[in-house]
Amino acid sequence: MADTELAEVADFLATHAPFDALPGPVRRALPARMTVRYHRRGAHLMAVGVDSHDLVIVRSGAIEIRDADGGLVDRGAEGATAGSTTLVGGNPSRFDVLAIEDTLALHLPGQVFHELSRAHPDFADHFDAERADRLRTAASSVATNAAGEAILRTSARELTHRELVTVPDDVTIADAARVMTDEGVSSLLVLRGGRVAGILTDRDLRRRVVAVGTDPAGPVTSVMTADPVVVAADASALELLLTMTERTIHHLPVVEGGRPIGVVTTTDLMRLERVNIVHVVGDVAKQRDVAGVVAVAARLPRLVEQLVAQDVSADDITRAVTTVGDAIERRLIALAEEALVAEGHGRAPRYCWMVLGSRARHEQALGGDQDHAVILADDAPEGAEDYIAALAERVVAGLEACGYPRCEGDVMASNPRWRQRLTGWRREFRQWIHEPVADAVLTASIFFDSRALVGDEALHSRLVEDVARWAPQGRMFLAHLVKQAVANEPPLGFFRGFVLARAGEHKDTLDLKRGGVGAIVDLARAHALATGLVSVNTRSRLLAAGRAGALDPMTAASLVDALEFISHVRLAHQSRQAAAGAHPDSRVRPSDLTAFERRSLREAFHVVREAQQALAYRTPGHYFT
């Protein structure tokens, strides 16, 4: 290339990452080490199975990258690059790179690429990020073990190793037991018309036949578990694991197209490496006193550390943390009820203990405080409030001992306001929605993310139905929610630099919760309640709002990815804090993040900002609340 052309190429590189971050002398020396090639539309710059030795930078035109199966990986125009995967991972190329327009490309030799990567970490990090497909790929990472096998994302279908053992629903108990013995299985499915009518397990035979002297000549339908929980064949191992632990069951029928294809047991799941949430939850359930629960709860940070190290998705990790938290809270409630009976307070009245906030959404991270309330049945006897008050005090103290701090806003069942009869709760929600006051709605927003944990779920369901019916008509209430959703701006400056705390304990840190995770949660809540959706999980709310047309589907998907990535960075930060003996928080120093994490966080925060602006534009009335 002539000197003039070399200067033009240097100027071009100065406007495109990652070359713009290289020292000036290094960047200006690069054009002389490159070659310029012209590729006609339809020409292959790289091909699957063919060795490639250059990094390709698009000077003008456009390229398309596809994998070995023809799947589209990426498209790029001016400044886009291709070939780093092969340069790092070795030949032959695993991708086809096709010119989709007449393209002028700069070819940087692999030797120069490696020199730059060794000398300039940010340069190498950029291509790490590119190979990870930025935010989207970071958000959909898959956990693998050393052998490259899927761990927590193994499907239910892959776990059904042996031929399905079944009996029709007209056989006797003795016949079913004989089949189980002959086949060497601990359970079998009872079918009616080719579909699952029930499941019979060893435990059923012990408890419902042997222990009570049931006649083995009786029908199997009299002792089976009818209409058992089933899972889809494509469900992940983690989904199965959480379903089993949440419902305290040990066998899950797997169905495809409504027809059974196998049964997965807890033993099958425990064969997967490092899946130890089942042990933690199981051990919690075995504890006979609060001290025992506290000891098991102390294992949670280590569990999160393992899951983060395995690259399990943040969505799956927070579900796991939530499941452990649920198990702890359920056990503490059971122990409290037992203690109250022993002290002469009698049996519990009809009530529902509901969890709120991140726990209700299945999104709990480390360091979360307590958020819960109680719905008491309208027909509960006089004095039931005193029982619930005593129960709540015991549970709150137990949770605090297990590492869940008391809520600073006192949103706990120990507060008399947050343990009411159903009629009182309906009155509260009706007032929040139909007679909203800004401060009250801000305080109450956590109650719109609730889930029944223990007790009569019908009491909670009645509230959920009311909210879904009332909320879309609460115009001023929705305006307050929108105002709240756009108020927590992402910590991003005018030029997409981070906005850091300027003073105090958290000086020079970035808040991943307030303008990140929290902002996305607020956006999802506003869209969901406006549409009358009943789901409280943020991911589910966003995608459902997209399907309902309340939110642009592409925006919904981008927010899901942003939530996943921000949450993953937050969890990794919290697991490091816990390992160091510090209390987990959501404040990180940008200097502690990799260049890839910093770039991806900027992308995620930008997605949040654009979604907030779109919501504010569509709902201008929030400015007048």
Side-chain angles (χ1 to χ4, degrees):
M1 287 185 280
D3 290 346
T4 302
E5 190 174 1
L6 291 174
E8 289 177 352
V9 171
D11 291 341
F12 170 84
L13 294 176
T15 62
H16 295 284
F19 304 96
D20 58 345
L22 293 172
V26 174
R27 185 175 58 248
R28 287 190 291 272
L30 283 180
R33 307 181 73 180
M34 294 177 167
T35 57
V36 180
R37 298 180 191 172
Y38 175 76
H39 304 273
R40 294 191 61 82
R41 179 178 180 178
H44 278 84
L45 284 72
M46 298 179 190
V48 171
V50 178
D51 287 358
S52 176
H53 303 286
D54 294 341
L55 178 74
V56 176
I57 305 110
V58 177
R59 176 78 186 273
S60 63
I63 59 172
E64 189 176 77
I65 303 174
R66 292 187 177 272
D67 61 24
D69 296 321
L72 180 64
V73 174
D74 199 9
R75 287 194 180 99
E78 181 179 298
T81 60
S84 65
T85 300
T86 304
L87 291 174
V88 173
N91 278 308
S93 172
R94 299 193 295 277
F95 300 96
D96 283 323
V97 180
L98 185 73
I100 54 177
E101 297 178 6
D102 288 355
T103 298
L104 190 66
L106 303 171
H107 286 248
L108 180 73
Q111 177 185 348
V112 181
F113 172 87
H114 290 301
E115 289 175 8
L116 292 170
S117 297
R118 287 191 296 269
H120 306 283
D122 282 353
F123 182 91
D125 286 345
H126 172 87
F127 290 101
D128 286 343
E130 185 176 79
R131 290 193 298 276
D133 193 23
R134 290 191 176 273
L135 181 61
R136 173 57 56 87
T137 302
S140 59
S141 57
V142 175
T144 57
N145 63 11
E149 300 169 333
I151 297 295
L152 293 179
R153 292 195 181 278
T154 301
S155 71
R157 183 186 295 103
E158 294 173 278
L159 290 169
T160 55
H161 300 297
R162 63 164 297 153
E163 187 175 344
L164 183 63
V165 179
T166 66
V167 294
D169 65 348
D170 58 357
V171 304
T172 65
I173 298 169
D175 289 337
R178 194 172 299 112
V179 170
M180 290 173 66
T181 301
D182 292 344
E183 296 292 336
V185 294
S186 60
S187 68
L188 55 72
L189 297 183
V190 180
L191 304 186
R192 182 181 300 124
R195 296 179 179 265
V196 179
I199 185 171
L200 183 70
T201 68
D202 282 340
R203 175 177 289 190
D204 294 330
L205 292 174
R206 292 195 305 270
R207 297 174 62 184
R208 299 176 183 174
V209 181
V210 178
V212 296
T214 300
D215 184 0
V220 70
T221 52
S222 66
V223 295
M224 71 181 187
T225 297
D227 300 318
V229 177
V230 299
V231 294
D234 292 331
S236 70
L238 184 63
E239 290 179 73
L240 272 63
L241 184 60
L242 295 176
T243 299
M244 287 181 176
T245 53
E246 288 169 0
R247 297 177 178 267
T248 321
I249 54 181
H250 304 281
H251 300 78
L252 267 177
V254 180
V255 298
E256 192 164 29
R259 303 280 175 168
I261 63 170
V263 175
V264 175
T265 69
T266 51
T267 301
D268 295 325
L269 291 176
M270 284 189 286
R271 290 193 185 106
L272 292 177
E273 290 185 32
R274 297 168 287 184
V275 181
N276 58 16
I277 182 178
V278 70
H279 295 295
V280 175
V281 173
D283 288 348
V284 167
K286 296 174 185 175
Q287 302 309 307
R288 300 305 308 161
D289 55 33
V290 173
V293 179
V294 171
V296 179
R299 289 156 53 187
L300 180 58
R302 175 58 180 158
L303 172 62
V304 172
E305 185 180 357
Q306 290 176 334
L307 295 176
V308 169
Q310 293 170 30
D311 243 359
V312 175
S313 74
D315 182 53
D316 287 342
I317 295 174
T318 53
R319 282 200 68 195
V321 173
T322 298
T323 299
V324 173
D326 283 354
I328 290 169
E329 201 154 337
R330 284 194 184 101
R331 190 61 192 142
L332 291 174
I333 293 170
L335 290 172
E337 287 185 347
E338 292 173 8
L340 290 172
V341 169
E343 293 171 6
H345 293 276
R347 295 289 176 184
R350 190 159 69 94
Y351 76 96
C352 177
W353 184 286
M354 57 180 177
V355 289
L356 311 169
S358 61
R359 176 85 73 75
R361 298 190 303 268
H362 286 98
E363 296 164 10
Q364 193 164 46
L366 292 176
D369 61 2
Q370 300 183 42
D371 296 301
H372 42 70
V374 169
I375 309 169
L376 192 59
D378 286 335
D379 60 2
E382 186 178 348
E385 285 85 355
D386 294 336
Y387 178 97
I388 296 299
L391 176 76
E393 288 296 341
R394 288 178 177 272
V395 175
V396 167
L399 286 170
E400 188 174 24
C402 288
Y404 298 92
R406 292 173 185 253
C407 174
E408 291 184 2
D410 204 19
V411 181
M412 299 181 293
S414 53
N415 182 338
R417 188 182 177 191
W418 308 132
R419 51 174 194 266
Q420 300 189 50
R421 293 183 183 247
L422 178 60
T423 298
W425 277 111
R426 296 188 71 223
R427 185 165 50 247
E428 289 275 8
F429 276 92
R430 189 182 294 111
Q431 185 168 353
W432 286 331
I433 293 172
H434 296 306
E435 303 172 31
V437 177
D439 290 344
V441 171
L442 179 62
T443 301
S445 62
I446 192 172
F447 290 92
F448 291 90
D449 298 354
S450 67
R451 175 168 56 86
L453 183 70
V454 170
D456 189 343
E457 294 187 11
L459 297 171
H460 179 260
S461 296
R462 176 64 186 276
L463 277 184
V464 171
E465 292 166 4
D466 286 341
V467 171
R469 187 172 67 255
W470 295 338
Q473 277 72 52
R475 185 171 177 274
M476 290 300 293
F477 163 73
L478 294 174
H480 284 303
L481 287 183
V482 171
K483 183 176 182 180
Q484 180 180 334
V486 301
N488 290 338
E489 295 183 357
L492 208 56
F494 284 111
F495 300 103
R496 298 183 73 174
F498 292 129
V499 176
L500 308 179
R502 294 183 177 180
E505 177 187 357
H506 301 298
K507 187 176 185 294
D508 296 330
T509 64
L510 184 66
D511 189 348
L512 296 178
K513 182 177 180 181
R514 188 174 183 274
V517 172
I520 299 172
V521 167
D522 289 343
L523 283 166
R525 183 188 300 115
H527 283 292
L529 292 176
T531 316
L533 301 173
V534 297
S535 174
V536 296
N537 174 263
T538 300
R539 184 178 187 277
S540 298
R541 276 175 164 173
L542 290 170
L543 296 179
R547 290 192 296 270
L551 181 62
D552 176 69
M554 290 185 64
T555 299
S558 293
L559 284 170
V560 168
D561 290 334
L563 175 65
E564 169 62 34
F565 190 80
I566 298 170
S567 297
H568 200 280
V569 173
R570 180 188 181 201
L571 285 164
H573 165 69
Q574 291 182 337
S575 68
R576 290 192 296 268
Q577 287 182 306
H583 182 73
D585 61 27
S586 300
R587 293 276 187 170
V588 301
R589 295 182 182 278
S591 58
D592 292 338
L593 303 174
T594 66
F596 168 63
E597 289 172 330
R598 292 194 295 272
R599 277 194 300 272
S600 296
L601 280 176
R602 290 190 188 97
E603 294 293 331
F605 289 144
H606 184 65
V607 166
V608 177
R609 174 184 284 173
E610 288 192 328
Q612 288 177 327
Q613 291 171 344
L615 179 61
Y617 178 79
R618 289 180 57 181
T619 322
H622 80 273
Y623 291 116
F624 304 103
T625 59

